[in-house]
Amino acid sequence: MALSLLVCLLFGFYSTRYLIVRAADNNQQPLAAAGRKPNIVFILTDDQDLHMDSLSYMPSLKKHLTDHGTSFHRHYCTVALCCPSRVSLWTGKAAHNTNVTDIGPPHGGYPKFVSQGFNEAYLPLWLQEAGYNTYYVGKLFNAQTVDNYNAPHAAGWTGSDFLLDPYTYEYLNATFQRNRDEPASYEGQYSTDVLARKAYGFLDDAMGDQQERPFFLTIAPTAPHSNVHIHSHKIDDEFTEKSVTQSPPVPAERHEHLFEDVKVPRTPHFNPDQPNGVSWISRLPKQNETVVEFNDHFYRNRLRTLQAVDEIVDEVVSRLDEAGLLDNTYIFYSTDNGYHIGQHRLQPGKQCAYEEDINIPLIVRGPGVPKGEMTEIVTSHTDLAPTFMQLAGAVLRDDLDGAAIPLTAVSLGEQRRTRQEHVNVEMWGIIMSEGNYGSVLYPNHTYKALRVLGEDYSFLYTVWCSGEHELYDLTKDPYEVDNLYHASKETTVDFGFLPSSGSTAGIPNNSTTTTSVHLSRLISRLDTLLVVLKTCKARECTHPWEVLHPAGDVRNLNDALSAEFNDFYEVQQERVYFTQCEKGYIAESEGPMGARSYGMVDEVAM
Ligand SMILES: *[C@@H]1O[C@H](CO)[C@@H](O)[C@H](O)[C@H]1NC(C)=O
Ligand SMILES: *[C@@H]1O[C@H](CO)[C@@H](O)[C@H](O)[C@H]1NC(C)=O
Ligand SMILES: *[C@@H]1O[C@H](CO)[C@@H](O)[C@H](O)[C@H]1NC(C)=O
Ligand SMILES: *[C@@H]1O[C@H](CO)[C@@H](O)[C@H](O)[C@H]1NC(C)=O
Ligand SMILES: *[C@@H]1O[C@H](CO)[C@@H](O)[C@H](O)[C@H]1NC(C)=O
Ligand SMILES: *[C@@H]1O[C@H](CO)[C@@H](O)[C@H](O)[C@H]1NC(C)=O
């Protein structure tokens, strides 16, 4: 296969309160099988999209999980880049609280995870404390390497077999490192198949021991991530020049001829005639046929690599079934972040706040989880650690930034009305693209974004370190091509809002009256919400309106739009801004560090 090489030259590679579950929620998860703690299997892919239809090409996933479980189609990552997103997932904290914001040092990677103290405080340790055997196969974090894997070993796993850099994304030359063993090379073998065998081994161990201890098993293949080859070239004793080739992912031989006619979905924002967005995105050229064809090939190879993952889904389910454990096991399927190819003229990659990159698959099956359902509730990766802990009956912590995801019909129904409607998305540094034509690295890819998904409204609001802004009304503009931020002052958006005193907490008022709101009013609320979220901790992250309105009378955007708060939002609050573009989370460069609270105009709330 002609793997085309496009080389990004990088020197020194990659230099580049959780709410304490309220009493009412305590019994929201079913106690599985006669009081026995449930087992949990978590399949975590790498860079898998929801918006380019990747799930439609996974028949076993559909049969065993989608049709037998609930799809959370408003599930989001909070930072659309592998390592920061994984650290948020495993710690239950937003990236601004982990400060692991990049894939490698100094701002990210495994060494930063360790130096931030998380190797002593993250999910597998909490699950072990709750009596679980914990297993992990595959990629944990970037920059966990053949040199640093034992300094220290990743804590918390009863059994582990990690993919290590610089071979993590080499589909045909993976290096795995098992428990306390030395790293082992699997040159010439197909990475996902090697990983599958290791996963089934741990699953058998786990099932054998599960009369004694329930288990938590994570299976984390690299598919459908690009194939990454790192070239090292020693210049002298002090300098090694490293370069990276990010070529299309490599399918297993048995899958390499599938889907020959399939192309990236030609949605209205695919390689559009007019550029979209702001900053460097607004300056991207339209892609020519050669580029589009290459990127379609890249896309097909993503779908092909996912076939080996689909086989794992099938095999895991049948092994659980044969052992009689399927009914007492939750299976979660997700990915670290989404992916784009060609939308907004972007080369293959992630890291943007557009839907393709942040709105990702989450499918759950297990005891009490509604079958074949799709839920509208808004969830994010910071909710997963609390969810697993709640299922495991672990001691709930009040320092996590997410809230357990409801998994029963009753709790899903309740939270449909009460759960938060926002997702805070963050990014720092440089964006890398992949494939033949994605060599250019764009700096200043630092932004704060806010997705709000109410019952009858849906917005993306982004503030860039360059001072540029984006605002999309996804109800009317689902592809995010019409930036309303600079639309005329007369532009209005319709809301069906209730008097703020109504304790309806997100229940839409379905009386037909709507109120037209000027953009400036909407933007003032979104911006202030973002001020709170960009530095939120624990409960503030799930309940930011409580910070702004301690009286509790404002529970969502709809309530906050009430004219009685115009002065509070439009005059009294500071806007989100950056004084400089940084490569990491440098607080001094990130503008206001908190917002004022209503009724306490003389005090700064945080
Ligand atoms: C985050 O880490 C960087 C180093 O990677 C450090 O310079 C910065 O001060 C940290 N930010 C915060 C808010 O702690
Ligand atoms: C495969 O990986 C091993 C290290 O695990 C390395 O020594 C070898 O050079 C690699 N082979 C190729 C073809 O890159
Ligand atoms: C298409 O665009 C690519 C990337 O800019 C360029 O390398 C290539 O020469 C172009 N091909 C044609 C046929 O114009
Ligand atoms: C909608 O709001 C109006 C005005 O406050 C109220 O009279 C009506 O009962 C509400 N309808 C619903 C379905 O809540
Ligand atoms: C609101 O909508 C529900 C279901 O859509 C309907 O049953 C109810 O009658 C409506 N109420 C009003 C006041 O329109
Ligand atoms: C990035 O931002 C810095 C200031 O924060 C500016 O000096 C620099 O020119 C910007 N670089 C690009 C490529 O826009």
Side-chain angles (χ1 to χ4, degrees):
M1 179 173 324
L3 292 186
S4 1
L5 301 191
L6 209 283
V7 176
C8 323
L9 252 194
L10 296 179
F11 285 89
F13 175 52
Y14 295 148
S15 69
T16 64
R17 153 189 74 180
Y18 164 57
L19 61 150
I20 299 166
V21 166
R22 286 156 286 142
D25 287 354
N26 274 342
N27 52 4
Q28 74 168 33
Q29 312 297 11
L31 257 190
R36 282 231 309 277
K37 285 189 173 185
N39 308 304
I40 303 168
V41 174
F42 181 27
I43 300 171
L44 176 68
T45 57
D46 200 321
D47 283 2
Q48 186 169 2
D49 62 274
L50 183 63
H51 286 262
M52 294 186 294
D53 295 342
S54 67
L55 297 183
S56 319
Y57 295 87
M58 301 185 73
S60 296
L61 180 70
K62 177 175 188 311
K63 178 173 148 203
H64 296 304
L65 298 195
T66 315
D67 292 351
H68 270 272
T70 295
S71 297
F72 293 77
H73 75 133
R74 290 175 159 189
H75 184 73
Y76 288 82
C77 60
T78 58
V79 49
L81 182 60
C82 308
C83 184
S85 183
R86 285 164 188 256
V87 173
S88 283
L89 192 165
W90 293 114
T91 60
K93 288 177 190 283
H96 64 255
N97 289 329
T98 66
N99 200 7
V100 178
T101 58
D102 200 353
I103 55 175
H107 298 297
Y110 181 62
K112 184 81 189 267
F113 168 83
V114 170
S115 67
Q116 291 291 99
F118 292 121
N119 204 35
E120 285 97 54
Y122 75 130
L123 184 74
L125 293 165
W126 302 329
L127 293 177
Q128 285 187 330
E129 280 164 23
Y132 274 67
N133 277 334
T134 56
Y135 302 90
Y136 199 104
V137 195
K139 173 186 167 191
L140 182 62
F141 300 127
N142 303 71
Q144 186 185 15
T145 71
V146 292
D147 299 319
N148 71 15
Y149 70 91
N150 57 358
H153 285 282
W157 305 104
T158 312
S160 62
D161 213 327
F162 299 121
L163 277 162
L164 295 184
D165 274 354
Y167 307 102
T168 304
Y169 302 104
E170 296 261 20
Y171 281 84
L172 293 172
N173 192 22
T175 291
F176 282 88
Q177 186 273 315
R178 184 179 176 84
N179 299 329
R180 296 295 179 262
D181 299 351
E182 301 269 296
S185 174
Y186 290 81
E187 189 164 352
Q189 299 186 48
Y190 191 61
S191 165
T192 312
D193 293 344
V194 175
L195 172 136
R197 289 196 299 275
K198 291 171 176 294
Y200 307 147
F202 280 143
L203 182 59
D204 290 346
D205 293 351
M207 292 192 304
D209 205 23
Q210 77 88 45
Q211 290 292 351
E212 303 299 318
R213 294 166 77 84
F215 63 84
F216 176 84
L217 164 65
T218 299
I219 304 172
T222 43
H225 195 285
S226 61
N227 188 86
V228 180
H229 183 69
I230 296 173
H231 319 257
S232 268
H233 167 65
K234 202 167 173 180
I235 297 172
D236 61 26
D237 286 342
E238 278 183 59
F239 292 99
T240 304
E241 182 188 86
K242 298 197 178 180
S243 64
V244 188
T245 305
Q246 309 212 67
S247 43
V250 181
E253 256 179 62
R254 62 189 180 283
H255 300 133
E256 64 190 10
H257 297 298
L258 294 172
F259 315 130
E260 286 191 326
D261 299 324
V262 175
K263 293 178 173 174
V264 178
R266 298 304 199 247
T267 46
H269 63 328
F270 178 82
N271 198 23
D273 288 337
Q274 296 302 317
N276 300 158
V278 299
S279 187
W280 63 275
I281 301 166
S282 65
R283 297 187 286 274
L284 289 171
K286 188 166 156 71
Q287 299 175 3
N288 66 29
E289 269 310 300
T290 317
V291 174
V292 169
E293 273 174 29
F294 173 81
N295 287 345
D296 279 333
H297 161 71
F298 193 111
Y299 172 72
R300 285 189 290 274
N301 270 14
R302 286 169 53 85
L303 301 178
R304 290 164 179 153
T305 61
L306 284 169
Q307 302 312 299
V309 179
D310 203 43
E311 292 169 356
I312 294 177
V313 173
D314 193 48
E315 183 64 22
V316 165
V317 169
S318 56
R319 283 180 188 236
L320 286 166
D321 196 17
E322 277 163 31
L325 292 178
L326 193 52
D327 291 342
N328 194 32
T329 303
Y330 289 90
I331 306 177
F332 285 67
Y333 186 93
S334 192
T335 189
D336 47 8
N337 49 259
Y339 208 73
H340 56 247
I341 300 178
Q343 298 81 21
H344 311 290
R345 301 181 170 181
L346 291 161
Q347 293 295 341
K350 53 255 183 180
Q351 296 180 259
C352 294
Y354 300 125
E355 270 323 69
E356 293 77 28
D357 294 9
I358 62 173
N359 181 209
I360 53 179
L362 174 66
I363 309 164
V364 186
R365 80 169 273 174
V369 181
K371 291 185 168 59
E373 296 282 327
M374 176 111 96
T375 174
E376 300 284 325
I377 69 162
V378 177
T379 58
S380 82
H381 264 12
T382 47
D383 298 329
L384 286 175
T387 306
F388 295 137
M389 287 165 76
Q390 191 174 67
L391 287 176
V395 178
L396 298 169
R397 302 174 59 97
D398 62 8
D399 64 342
L400 304 188
D401 298 335
I405 297 171
L407 294 174
T408 64
V410 171
S411 58
L412 278 161
E414 278 170 14
Q415 294 211 14
R416 176 93 203 268
R417 284 174 282 117
T418 57
R419 200 176 174 88
Q420 73 271 8
E421 57 179 10
H422 63 268
V423 184
N424 177 210
V425 181
E426 343 185 62
M427 185 57 58
W428 292 264
I430 291 169
I431 184 169
M432 295 167 284
S433 300
E434 302 172 1
N436 255 2
Y437 302 96
S439 64
V440 189
L441 299 172
Y442 295 96
N444 296 355
H445 193 70
T446 297
Y447 61 76
K448 306 285 174 191
L450 171 65
R451 258 309 258 125
V452 179
L453 300 99
E455 196 77 35
D456 56 1
Y457 49 83
S458 180
F459 299 103
L460 171 68
Y461 175 65
T462 309
V463 182
W464 289 74
C465 66
S466 58
E468 291 160 291
H469 291 70
E470 288 173 280
L471 173 64
Y472 301 99
D473 176 355
L474 279 83
T475 313
K476 296 201 183 95
D477 174 26
Y479 298 105
E480 305 169 318
V481 296
D482 185 14
N483 183 2
L484 294 179
Y485 189 79
H486 293 295
S488 78
K489 296 221 179 330
E490 284 70 50
T491 308
T492 59
V493 178
D494 289 341
F495 283 86
F497 65 78
L498 286 165
S500 62
S501 54
S503 59
T504 49
I507 304 174
N509 185 332
N510 57 356
S511 70
T512 50
T513 53
T514 56
T515 305
S516 290
V517 169
H518 279 112
L519 276 185
S520 58
R521 186 155 151 195
L522 171 63
I523 289 169
S524 68
R525 272 63 169 182
L526 294 174
D527 194 280
T528 301
L529 181 59
L530 188 52
V531 171
V532 176
L533 290 172
K534 78 188 185 68
T535 55
C536 70
K537 284 197 164 59
R539 186 176 169 92
E540 294 159 358
C541 299
T542 49
H543 292 69
W545 299 108
E546 289 179 0
V547 176
L548 293 165
H549 296 271
D553 55 342
V554 170
R555 313 234 184 135
N556 54 42
L557 175 62
N558 203 54
D559 295 344
L561 283 164
S562 175
E564 67 180 291
F565 304 126
N566 282 354
D567 187 69
F568 175 63
Y569 285 103
E570 293 173 27
V571 180
Q572 295 175 25
Q573 302 288 359
E574 239 188 312
R575 297 279 79 103
V576 176
Y577 67 90
F578 294 81
T579 46
Q580 199 173 319
C581 288
E582 303 278 6
K583 295 191 183 76
Y585 179 24
I586 308 304
E588 305 83 85
S589 302
E590 297 200 356
M593 287 286 127
R596 288 171 182 277
S597 298
Y598 190 69
M600 301 182 198
V601 287
D602 294 321
E603 290 170 40
V604 175
M606 289 189 280

